[in-house]
Amino acid sequence: MTSTLTLPLTASRSRPALDFEALYRSARDDIFAYVATLLRDRASAEDVTAAAFERAYRRQKAYEPSRGSERAWLFGIARHAALDEIRRRSRHATLTADPPDRASPDVAGAAVDRAALHAALATLAVRDREVIALRYHAGLTTAEVADVLGTTPTNAGTLLHRAMTKLREAMNA
Amino acid sequence: MPDTDFTEFDEIIAQLREERPQIDPAFARELDTRAAAGFSKPRRRFALPRWRGIPAFVPATGLALVVAAVVVANLPTGAGDDDATSGSSTAGGAAASLAAPRQSAGSTDESAGVAAPPSVARSPEVPGGRDRVQEQSASMTLLAPPKEVAEVGDRILGVADQVGGFVVSSNVRATDGTSGGGDFQLRVPTARLDDALARLSRLGHVRERQQGVQDITSERNSARAQFEEAGAERRSLLRRLATADTDNEVTSLRARLRDVNAMIASYQDALTRVNRRAQYAAVSVSLLAQPKQGAVTPPDDGNWTPGDAARDALRVLEVAAGVLLLIVAVLAPLALLGGAAVAGRRFSGRRGRERALDAI
């Protein structure tokens, strides 16, 4: 999807301005993918995505390049928003997942695989699903995943490996 | 960490990338629109009013008004207050008041050569009856810098003049810039005793101050009775003199009249003295030189000088600093509580998010 977008400038003059427009363009779909995998609810994912960008826009002056990449900072904000949504929903109702996409007859085999993947993802703990979503749905590097989770890249790789192992076991179950 | 570490998951990874959730185009357009508008968001229902819209000078002005109100409320009486009630005194004026004021002791009865009884002195409200008469007195010890002893002494004499009193005696010891002092006996109208003491108190540091009241009603009544009795006797002698037949009788009566006239004069003086004691309060002032100049309040000459202005400005700054200290004392604990609350909320939020990760 291509579009022309011009965001109001609010960056501070005292430090290198965060190119929020570029960041928004590059991360919009990735943020949604990550949040949607985490929440397993498209409507909530859209709300959380919008809220995350809104928070990031308001707080862009607080971005410190020394503390990580722009994407890691943005995903950190999205993560907080998503976890807040999970907490909010856990207080009011049980988390409900979107029904799996209805498979078309000509791609029945692929649909079965997709259904198995979705079912396996649904059985994973949020922590495991999150690290997978950050790495393979949002496309972050392992170092960026580590920044978002507040851990070391080595530990992030370990977490990712464990999550993938669990996912494979769930798919084979 | 390169993907080659996850070669065993290549197939699943490919599936995951293929199954990445896709954003809805309609939502994407809506989000783009909101982004272009700067993510303007409707105001929260329960959001507190923001300071951003209020000019910065509004809270600053409010704070300044509070400080100014407290400063004004705590300002000492200005040095120029004396001018409102009296002019400045001079040593010459004080010297002129050394003579006792002429008090009307009564009109002279020319025909009889006898003075009328002096008027009864009016004294402040006296419990126990309107005819009660009191004598008031006060003593005060003032401290002044050695170099200013002579000047303060002149001002003490000036106070007597300012309140309509007079100086009974004054004794200023020679000052060499390091020591000295003086003793002053003043008489001031009883009705203005408090005013006089207040003026004297402003001339230096008051080390000691005493006031006393003595009932002199019996003395006054006794003197008046003697005076009236002598007057009656004189009138009787005059009547007898008018009817005297012999020279011896006339001579004897005239001799008695001279004695009675002397007695009347004596009683009249006594009655006048008693009345004056009621009308004028005795004020005894001891002036001492105080070596430490810094501990002495400089004498007030009634004019508002640059020095007075500097002292007032210093006082304003002191009060303002005190007010700011109070504000800090009030706000600091609140800030600490607020900071603790914010930190606690952040910590709680972080733990809550971690729990949310573990709960599902």
Side-chain angles (χ1 to χ4, degrees):
Chain A
M1 176 183 294
T2 59
S3 62
T4 301
L5 188 65
T6 302
L7 270 63
L9 286 175
T10 59
S12 169
R13 296 177 183 175
S14 59
R15 73 178 68 167
L18 173 68
D19 189 351
F20 193 84
E21 181 180 344
L23 180 62
Y24 170 80
R25 286 182 180 284
S26 67
R28 184 193 65 186
D29 294 359
D30 296 339
I31 289 284
F32 174 81
Y34 158 65
V35 173
T37 303
L38 202 58
L39 298 179
R40 294 188 296 128
D41 179 355
R42 293 188 67 90
S44 296
E46 290 177 353
D47 290 344
V48 169
T49 300
F53 276 112
E54 182 186 324
R55 286 186 198 178
Y57 182 78
R58 286 203 314 266
R59 299 178 189 173
Q60 57 183 300
K61 290 179 182 175
Y63 167 66
E64 290 285 349
S66 61
R67 297 175 65 179
S69 68
E70 296 175 356
R71 283 175 64 83
W73 171 74
L74 180 61
F75 272 84
I77 292 175
R79 180 173 188 257
H80 281 181
L83 295 183
D84 287 343
E85 173 64 14
I86 291 174
R87 289 173 64 196
R88 188 186 67 78
R89 290 198 304 188
S90 67
R91 285 196 292 263
H92 296 94
T94 54
L95 189 64
T96 56
D98 281 341
D101 293 341
R102 188 169 295 173
S104 58
D106 55 337
V107 288
V112 170
D113 289 343
R114 282 202 330 243
L117 179 64
H118 283 290
L121 277 173
T123 62
L124 294 182
V126 179
R127 285 184 186 278
D128 296 326
R129 195 162 65 241
E130 178 185 35
V131 70
I132 291 173
L134 287 171
R135 181 69 182 92
Y136 299 115
H137 284 172
L140 297 188
T141 65
T142 308
E144 287 175 331
V145 172
D147 282 344
V148 173
L149 298 181
T151 186
T152 62
T154 303
N155 193 38
T158 304
L159 294 174
L160 182 60
H161 193 277
R162 285 181 190 164
M164 291 299 290
T165 303
K166 289 179 184 175
L167 179 63
R168 183 174 59 190
E169 290 172 357
M171 291 178 71
N172 294 334
Chain B
M1 180 176 289
D3 285 348
T4 51
D5 293 340
F6 293 83
T7 49
E8 56 181 313
F9 304 115
D10 279 350
E11 191 178 344
I12 299 176
I13 290 171
Q15 270 188 294
L16 282 169
R17 286 178 171 153
E18 191 178 340
E19 287 303 308
R20 160 189 157 121
Q22 297 297 320
I23 193 168
D24 181 59
F27 169 67
R29 282 194 298 275
E30 179 189 337
L31 194 59
D32 289 348
T33 304
R34 291 185 61 185
F39 291 102
S40 58
K41 188 179 179 184
R43 199 168 185 170
R44 291 182 201 167
R45 189 187 302 175
F46 300 110
L48 292 173
R50 298 195 174 217
W51 290 97
R52 236 177 264 169
I54 301 175
F57 64 82
V58 171
T61 304
L63 183 61
L65 285 176
V66 171
V67 171
V70 176
V71 167
V72 169
N74 286 280
L75 268 182
T77 306
D81 289 354
D82 288 344
D83 293 340
T85 55
S86 67
S88 61
S89 63
T90 62
S97 67
L98 285 172
R102 296 185 178 279
Q103 179 185 353
S104 173
S107 60
T108 302
D109 186 346
E110 292 183 354
S111 63
V114 178
S119 58
V120 176
R122 281 194 174 275
S123 62
E125 286 292 327
V126 182
R130 290 177 116 187
D131 292 336
R132 308 298 297 179
V133 183
Q134 287 183 325
E135 177 186 26
Q136 298 195 42
S137 61
S139 63
M140 180 181 286
T141 302
L142 291 175
L143 300 179
K147 292 180 180 176
E148 298 174 2
V149 165
E151 183 184 352
V152 175
D154 288 343
R155 298 191 191 288
I156 290 172
L157 301 177
V159 168
D161 187 46
Q162 291 164 14
V163 298
F166 56 94
V167 178
V168 177
S169 67
S170 68
N171 174 28
V172 178
R173 291 184 290 279
T175 59
D176 55 2
T178 59
S179 62
D183 297 304
F184 306 86
Q185 298 297 326
L186 312 178
R187 293 288 184 274
V188 300
T190 302
R192 300 196 64 182
L193 175 60
D194 291 338
D195 182 22
L197 294 178
R199 289 169 183 267
L200 290 170
S201 298
R202 289 197 289 268
L203 298 181
H205 178 70
V206 179
R207 172 189 279 181
E208 185 181 1
R209 173 173 162 170
Q210 290 181 338
Q211 274 185 265
V213 177
Q214 183 181 359
D215 191 300
I216 55 172
T217 306
S218 61
E219 288 184 56
R220 192 277 314 268
N221 290 345
S222 174
R224 186 165 60 185
Q226 288 177 319
F227 178 81
E228 290 173 351
E229 189 177 342
E233 184 178 359
R234 185 176 186 279
R235 285 191 295 275
S236 171
L237 290 172
L238 286 173
R239 281 194 299 272
R240 288 171 57 189
L241 184 61
T243 59
D245 296 329
T246 65
D247 291 341
N248 287 339
E249 190 178 5
V250 169
T251 302
S252 174
L253 286 172
R254 282 183 172 168
R256 287 288 310 278
L257 270 174
R258 281 194 296 273
D259 293 341
V260 170
N261 282 339
M263 290 171 57
I264 287 176
S266 173
Y267 294 149
Q268 186 179 18
D269 287 345
L271 185 57
T272 300
R273 280 194 299 273
V274 172
N275 285 335
R276 187 168 293 169
R277 285 167 58 194
Q279 290 172 331
Y280 285 84
V283 179
S284 175
V285 181
S286 294
L287 176 62
L288 300 176
Q290 189 178 42
K292 273 195 170 182
Q293 193 167 0
V296 177
T297 303
D300 186 357
D301 59 1
N303 296 322
W304 201 61
T305 63
D308 294 330
R311 277 190 293 275
D312 288 348
L314 184 63
R315 177 66 181 151
V316 168
L317 290 176
E318 286 176 354
V319 175
V323 171
L324 287 177
L325 191 62
L326 283 175
I327 292 173
V328 169
V330 171
L331 292 185
L334 293 179
L336 284 176
L337 287 175
V342 170
R345 189 178 171 189
R346 285 186 179 175
F347 179 74
S348 171
R350 198 174 299 131
R351 285 195 61 186
R353 290 186 186 111
E354 295 302 319
R355 275 201 300 269
L357 282 172
D358 296 331
I360 301 174

